[in-house]
Amino acid sequence: DCDLLPRQLSSCYTGVFMENIVAGLGTDKEHQTRYLSNDPHHPCDVVHEKYKDSCYFYQTSRMVQIFNGDFAKVAQTCLTAPEPYQHSCFVSMGRDIGGHNPGNTEGAIKECANAPLGGARTGCLVGAVQDAFWDPKGADTALAFCRLLESYEEKDACYSTIMARALQVL
């Protein structure tokens, strides 16, 4: 049905995968899904190519369930995703890390260290700082997060993310 929309297709796609994960997290018998398994890549491994990026953008929430919050295993699993979708997987991992470490910038940065240096780690950090800045009250936490980063590339990506989010939040 998302393909019937005139625009915002990727938002619709990610919303579908988000609802699938949320249904798997809940205990409500009326809101269940049959599209989850113990395979950490499912359903991303079986959907059409054009939906895979949106799927991996939420898939780590399922991986966190499967691996009982072990972000080292989540990072290893993101590395086994098809290469074009690894970035989305690591951004997703960062979002989940941020959700598991609210207000704990040091803890979130430490968990993102499970991702390899470079684009994977930066993606994780971007996902985590976005999670801190979903509303204006998170601005100080997000700025503190960026200040703690050491590499220029990570700081640049972090502050760029805050600036982009600020236009949406404020």
Side-chain angles (χ1 to χ4, degrees), residues 24-43:
L25 294 172
T27 58
D28 182 359
K29 298 291 185 214
E30 293 182 23
H31 192 109
Q32 294 293 312
T33 181
R34 63 178 187 259
Y35 302 107
L36 294 177
S37 76
N38 286 327
D39 176 347
H41 291 286
H42 187 76

Side-chain angles (χ1 to χ4, degrees), residues 140-157:
D140 290 338
T141 301
L143 289 169
F145 184 99
C146 293
R147 279 193 296 275
L148 290 174
L149 300 176
E150 295 181 11
S151 84
Y152 171 80
E153 292 80 15
E154 291 173 356
K155 280 185 179 285
D156 184 53

Side-chain angles (χ1 to χ4, degrees), residues 11-155:
S11 292
C12 185
Y13 299 157
T14 56
V16 168
F17 292 110
M18 178 186 71
E19 286 299 322
N20 185 54
I21 297 297
V22 169
L25 294 172
T27 58
D28 182 359
K29 298 291 185 214
E30 293 182 23
H31 192 109
Q32 294 293 312
T33 181
R34 63 178 187 259
Y35 302 107
L36 294 177
S37 76
N38 286 327
D39 176 347
H41 291 286
H42 187 76
C44 302
D45 58 344
V46 297
V47 297
H48 188 277
E49 197 71 25
K50 72 179 178 180
Y51 307 124
K52 287 184 186 289
D53 196 58
S54 296
C55 185
Y56 275 106
F57 188 72
Y58 275 98
Q59 192 61 19
T60 60
S61 295
R62 178 64 180 157
M63 294 176 192
V64 169
Q65 271 186 311
I66 292 169
F67 300 130
N68 296 311
D70 185 338
F71 285 103
K73 289 181 180 177
V74 173
Q76 288 303 312
T77 304
C78 282
L79 287 171
T80 65
E83 196 278 328
Y85 313 112
Q86 288 180 11
H87 181 74
S88 288
C89 193
F90 282 106
V91 172
S92 176
M93 179 176 142
R95 184 196 60 250
D96 287 327
I97 285 171
H100 282 83
N101 291 276
N104 179 4
T105 54
E106 295 89 353
I109 292 168
K110 182 179 177 185
E111 291 283 13
C112 278
N114 287 301
L117 282 171
R121 173 101 34 99
T122 301
C124 183
L125 294 166
V126 162
V129 79
Q130 282 187 60
D131 188 72
F133 198 41
W134 280 117
D135 64 61
K137 293 179 225 147
D140 290 338
T141 301
L143 289 169
F145 184 99
C146 293
R147 279 193 296 275
L148 290 174
L149 300 176
E150 295 181 11
S151 84
Y152 171 80
E153 292 80 15
E154 291 173 356
K155 280 185 179 285

Side-chain angles (χ1 to χ4, degrees), residues 154-169:
E154 291 173 356
K155 280 185 179 285
D156 184 53
C158 191
Y159 286 120
S160 294
T161 299
I162 289 174
M163 294 305 293
R165 289 287 303 141
L167 295 172
Q168 298 166 347
V169 172

